């Protein structure tokens, strides 16, 4: 059942997803068909992993056989910075390309999406991140090929990047950020390590939970959230037990992609905003920071959205095949159980945070906080950092 706030008779909404999606095993083999629609020259942006696994060479061969001239730029690390984006922008401006192909995880896709608009609109990444320079509709077509299942960047309209020197992390957002096409081949996630499988898988879970609780949630995003929460709770533990389980991996790839739609049409809540300064200060992966914050956020927020949290507890309980007593705390206890099951329950101290940093982190939080059901103008968001700091798993 979908919660009462989503009665079809009570609400209306607008949704938008301009990205053409090609989903399924071996769909990478159709990269030439997709890319031929956008011209004869392409820049593949990647990290080092596709080069090591041979995936990059596979893509180059398919494209060149189709008569598409290809160059590669592997400038992206795990968390993209304005400097890396500017490096890609400079390369694009010097060579000129009909399209950009983002081959990698969310960091690669976000950096490519940002570079696509900046390269053609002028300026540097810093200007757009601080909103000193406004976006227009101009962009270079981006074809996103995710090699992880987690971020949903292949179908979202945000490009998340950081400016380490300013301790700033945020998004460049707008409809022009959407990729023109996404090739989602679950087989590409088989080379992921268990560590990155659990971290990126947890990212899907957070997107599903937050887009369900978001004040901008709609009946459509709520339906997608419900299915994603069930799927991740069920299939992420299975993948960690059997990394070659393609059915489980296909489910995570599918719901990661679907949560990109949710991000574009519902958006996230406070945990993502709280993670941004945490990630910049500690240099830790996005979803690892989310995992360190999640128990504290759920505990703090429960009373402000108890009905929707109870929905989530019901869906998780079914997928985990367990019943936990004491209904008001079901979601909290189920969250801890799930995180223990996938061996992802980090303490915020493990990331290098001390208690006296909680106020500093709170001051660095930026962006739209109003989607969160707990937040209000007088809210002291440092309490969530402090709750995370004092968290002691059983």
């Amino acid at each position: 059942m979908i919660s009462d706030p989503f009665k079809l008779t009570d609400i209306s909404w607008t949704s938008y997803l301009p990205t053409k999606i090609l989903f399924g095993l071996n769909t990478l083999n159709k990269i030439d068909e997709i890319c031929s629609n956008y011209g004869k020259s392409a820049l593949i942006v990647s990290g080092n992993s596709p080069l090591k696994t041979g995936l990059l060479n596979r893509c180059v061969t398919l494209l060149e056989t189709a008569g598409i001239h290809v160059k590669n730029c592997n400038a992206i690390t795990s968390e993209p910075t304005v400097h890396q984006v500017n490096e890609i922008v400079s390369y694009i401006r010097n060579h000129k390309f009909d399209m950009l192909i983002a081959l990698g995880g969310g960091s690669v896709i976000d950096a490519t999406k940002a570079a696509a608009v900046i390269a053609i609109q002028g300026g540097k990444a810093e200007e757009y991140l601080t909103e000193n320079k406004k976006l227009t509709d101009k962009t270079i077509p981006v074809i996103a090929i995710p090699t992880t299942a987690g971020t949903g960047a292949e179908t979202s309209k945000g490009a998340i990047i950081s400016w380490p020197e300013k301790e700033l992390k945020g998004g460049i957002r707008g409809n022009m950020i959407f990729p023109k096409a996404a090739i989602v081949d679950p087989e590409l996630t088989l080379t992921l390590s268990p560590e990155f499988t659990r971290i990126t898988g947890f990212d899907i879970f957070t997107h599903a939970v937050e887009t369900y609780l978001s004040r901008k949630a709609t009946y459509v995003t709520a339906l997608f959230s419900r299915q994603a929460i069930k799927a991740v709770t069920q299939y992420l533990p299975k993948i960690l037990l059997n990394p070659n389980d393609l059915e489980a991996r296909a489910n995570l790839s599918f719901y990661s992609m679907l949560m990109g739609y949710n991000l574009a049409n519902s958006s996230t809540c406070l945990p993502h905003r709280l993670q941004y300064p945490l990630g910049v200060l500690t240099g830790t992966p996005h979803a690892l920071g989310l995992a360190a914050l999640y128990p504290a956020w759920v505990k703090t927020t429960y009373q402000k959205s108890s009905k929707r949290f109870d929905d989530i507890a019901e869906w998780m309980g079914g997928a985990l095949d367990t019943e936990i007593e004491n209904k008001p705390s079901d979601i909290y206890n189920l969250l801890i159980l799930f995180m223990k099951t996938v061996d992802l329950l980090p303490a915020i101290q493990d990331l290098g945070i001390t208690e006296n940093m909680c106020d500093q982190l709170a001051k660095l939080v930026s962006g739209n906080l109003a989607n969160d059901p707990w937040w209000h103008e007088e809210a002291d968001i440092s309490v969530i950092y402090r709750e995370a700091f004092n968290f002691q798993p059983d």
Side-chain angles (χ1 to χ4, degrees), residues 9-292:
T9 53
D10 296 340
I11 57 174
S12 62
W13 68 86
T14 299
S15 65
Y16 185 57
L17 182 62
T19 305
K20 179 177 181 177
I21 299 167
L22 186 60
F23 178 91
L25 297 176
N26 299 313
T27 49
L28 182 66
N29 291 333
K30 297 186 178 181
I31 186 175
D32 53 341
E33 295 178 25
I34 296 294
C35 292
S36 293
N37 295 315
Y38 301 102
K40 291 295 184 180
S41 62
L43 174 66
I44 298 179
V45 181
S46 70
N48 288 322
S49 180
L51 180 62
K52 294 177 181 177
T53 61
L55 179 59
L56 176 61
N57 286 338
R58 180 180 166 191
C59 290
V60 170
T61 299
L62 287 167
L63 291 167
E64 289 185 340
T65 300
I68 298 173
H69 180 65
V70 183
K71 288 188 177 293
N72 171 238
C73 177
N74 60 341
I76 307 304
T77 59
S78 60
E79 295 291 329
T81 66
V82 292
H83 311 299
Q84 293 170 340
V85 172
N86 287 335
E87 183 180 341
I88 300 168
V89 167
S90 177
Y91 194 83
I92 294 169
R93 288 174 180 164
N94 288 334
H95 293 83
K96 307 294 183 185
F97 297 96
D98 295 328
M99 75 199 83
L100 307 181
I101 300 170
L103 181 64
S107 295
V108 168
I109 297 172
D110 279 353
T112 306
K113 292 192 295 186
V117 295
I118 296 169
I120 199 166
Q121 294 189 26
K124 294 186 176 182
E126 295 91 327
E127 298 173 272
Y128 293 91
L129 186 60
T130 57
E131 297 187 349
N132 288 331
K133 195 170 180 64
K134 300 300 182 182
L135 289 167
T136 70
D137 291 336
K138 295 180 180 179
T139 187
I140 301 170
V142 172
I143 295 86
I145 306 175
T147 58
T148 66
T151 69
E154 64 272 19
T155 49
S156 75
K157 63 176 180 180
I160 309 302
I161 58 176
S162 66
W163 189 355
E165 292 82 0
K166 300 290 185 180
E167 297 180 337
L168 177 63
K169 182 177 180 179
I172 300 174
R173 294 182 173 88
N175 288 341
M176 73 295 298
I177 297 290
F178 279 114
K180 295 297 183 185
I183 300 174
V184 185
D185 187 338
E187 198 169 28
L188 304 187
T189 68
L190 285 171
T191 58
L192 276 179
S193 68
E195 177 187 4
F196 278 100
T197 297
R198 67 170 54 91
I199 288 175
T200 54
F202 187 74
D203 205 12
I204 307 171
F205 177 81
T206 67
H207 292 162
V209 169
E210 292 173 50
T211 57
Y212 186 63
L213 265 68
S214 168
R215 287 169 172 159
K216 289 176 62 180
T218 71
Y219 196 90
V220 175
T221 61
L223 286 170
F224 291 170
S225 288
R226 177 183 65 182
Q227 295 306 111
I229 289 166
K230 289 180 177 180
V232 176
T233 308
Q234 177 182 356
Y235 287 110
L236 182 55
K238 288 187 176 182
I239 292 175
L240 294 172
L241 289 173
N242 178 13
N244 294 319
D245 186 337
L246 271 176
E247 177 64 24
R249 288 197 177 275
N251 269 271
L252 290 198
S253 289
F254 178 77
Y255 286 106
S256 174
M257 175 194 70
L258 213 55
M259 288 305 96
Y261 170 92
N262 272 22
L263 293 175
N265 289 281
S266 175
S267 193
T268 52
C269 297
L270 268 179
H272 275 70
R273 302 298 178 268
L274 297 173
Q275 187 281 328
Y276 291 164
L278 176 64
V280 172
L281 286 177
T282 62
T284 51
H286 172 62
L288 186 64
L290 288 172

